[in-house]
Amino acid sequence: MQIGFVGLGKMGGFMVERLLGDGHEVVAFNRSAEPVARVVAKGGRGAASLAELVAALSPPRAIWLMVPAGDTVTKMIDALAPMLAPRDILIDGGNSWYKDSALRAAALAARSLRFADCGTSGGVWGLRNGYCLMVGAEPETFKHLEPVFKSLAPPDGYAHVGKPGAGHLVKMVHNGIEYGMMQAYAEGFDILKASPYGLDLAGIARLWNQGSVVRSWLLELAQRALEEDPGLAKIQGFVSDSGEGRWTIQEAIDRDVPAPVITLSLFERFHSRRPESFAAKLLAALRNQFGGHAVKPN
């Protein structure tokens, strides 16, 4: 199948490589030229502009956007839409908010253009392992794009989950669950590290992945990280978030669904970004005031 691809970052470049390896014809565009040159070297076709990319594709065109959520997606769609013909398809494979995706689908449908939102999970390991794809689209659009999904995903690794917006909703909640799982592993290994036994944390991670009920790919990655740097001395304990956890919590609030674990896992990420907490200072001061408890001078 012929497909255009916009955005050749950490995931995008590997996705294009996987598509080329399965025989698809890919025309790629990126703001910087070097990733495009790599695609050309692997058998793809490069474009120096969005207009050149559109011109190189045969109708009905399919163009996959793998760019940061928010304004960047909006700008790309606004730039591409006037160049496209009826029945052409835009696919947003990033982590957009699902309500934005539903609105974009409606706006494009008014111009006789088709839209699919594809929640994409797999990170930098997707080239080798395949990507888990959660697709929101009209059934006909999904069917047209299915050869691409089949090439990108492992067996049974893609699904049409509903109409436009549904793919990014499912991916949003997927990432919210990921927040909670990662926090639980982090806290558990923190307790093990604090024990008096001098435990081999990488060895325990390896052990738990052999039949334990807590085995997972995340735990395999924890094992890998601990084997490479047992005390994690090479990194800071600063944990960012890219938005999906916040959106998941807001969705839970809007739907009156209790989600305390996911909520607390996001707040713990906020805690990691503060070298010294004013709240903790106030707690120490209050304990000193009412009970004369000792405080540590700064």
Side-chain angles (χ1 to χ4, degrees):
M1 179 176 171
Q2 186 189 58
I3 187 166
F5 212 97
V6 177
L8 303 173
K10 291 179 180 178
M11 289 181 67
F14 286 154
M15 293 172 75
V16 167
E17 188 173 341
R18 191 171 170 94
L19 289 171
L20 290 171
D22 212 26
H24 295 276
E25 180 186 347
V26 181
V27 183
F29 169 76
N30 194 74
R31 286 185 302 175
S32 55
E34 185 179 343
V36 177
R38 288 198 294 268
V39 168
V40 172
K42 292 182 182 296
R45 181 173 173 182
S49 67
L50 292 176
E52 186 177 327
L53 179 138
V54 171
L57 298 170
S58 301
R61 303 172 183 88
I63 301 175
W64 189 299
L65 305 179
M66 205 66 190
V67 298
D71 288 344
T72 305
V73 174
T74 300
K75 289 176 181 176
M76 284 292 178
I77 291 176
D78 289 347
L80 284 165
M83 306 180 201
L84 301 178
R87 307 299 294 162
D88 287 352
I89 306 170
L90 289 174
I91 309 112
D92 179 5
N95 283 324
S96 293
W97 188 35
Y98 81 96
K99 291 186 178 180
D100 285 344
S101 297
L103 291 173
R104 287 166 180 153
L108 289 168
R111 306 176 72 153
S112 298
L113 300 172
R114 294 182 283 176
F115 178 82
D117 52 291
C118 183
T120 307
S121 181
V124 297
W125 294 86
L127 173 61
R128 186 176 74 183
N129 300 333
Y131 300 88
C132 180
L133 305 176
M134 300 145 258
V135 186
E138 297 300 335
E140 181 189 1
T141 303
F142 174 81
K143 197 67 179 175
H144 181 84
L145 297 170
E146 192 167 11
V148 169
F149 301 142
K150 189 173 292 186
S151 293
L152 288 171
D156 299 320
Y158 70 93
H160 179 218
V161 297
K163 63 184 182 180
H168 281 150
L169 171 66
V170 174
K171 179 57 163 48
M172 177 188 79
V173 176
H174 164 283
N175 283 24
I177 292 169
E178 179 186 299
Y179 276 45
M181 292 174 65
M182 291 172 66
Q183 184 63 33
Y185 283 132
E187 292 176 11
F189 278 95
D190 199 8
I191 295 168
L192 292 175
K193 188 176 186 301
S195 79
Y197 295 107
L199 298 170
D200 175 3
L201 301 186
I204 290 170
R206 188 184 314 110
L207 170 66
W208 284 351
N209 270 313
Q210 311 309 313
S212 163
V213 295
V214 299
R215 66 188 182 276
S216 73
W217 186 51
L218 284 173
L219 190 56
E220 291 175 13
L221 296 177
Q223 174 189 329
R224 178 186 176 94
L226 290 165
E227 286 173 345
E228 292 174 352
D229 183 7
L232 301 181
K234 299 176 183 178
I235 61 174
Q236 294 184 23
F238 181 99
V239 188
S240 61
D241 73 284
S242 53
E244 295 88 348
R246 301 179 189 223
W247 297 337
T248 303
I249 293 162
Q250 187 59 56
E251 185 72 10
I253 293 169
D254 292 344
R255 307 293 179 189
D256 296 330
V257 176
V261 171
I262 296 173
T263 302
L264 286 173
S265 69
L266 176 64
F267 287 174
E268 277 300 310
R269 294 193 179 198
F270 298 162
H271 183 74
S272 77
R273 301 169 204 173
R274 306 182 70 180
E276 189 169 30
S277 167
F278 181 80
K281 286 186 175 185
L282 185 58
L283 286 172
L286 287 171
R287 292 183 75 249
N288 177 258
Q289 290 292 327
F290 72 70
H293 299 290
V295 295
K296 292 185 177 182
N298 202 348

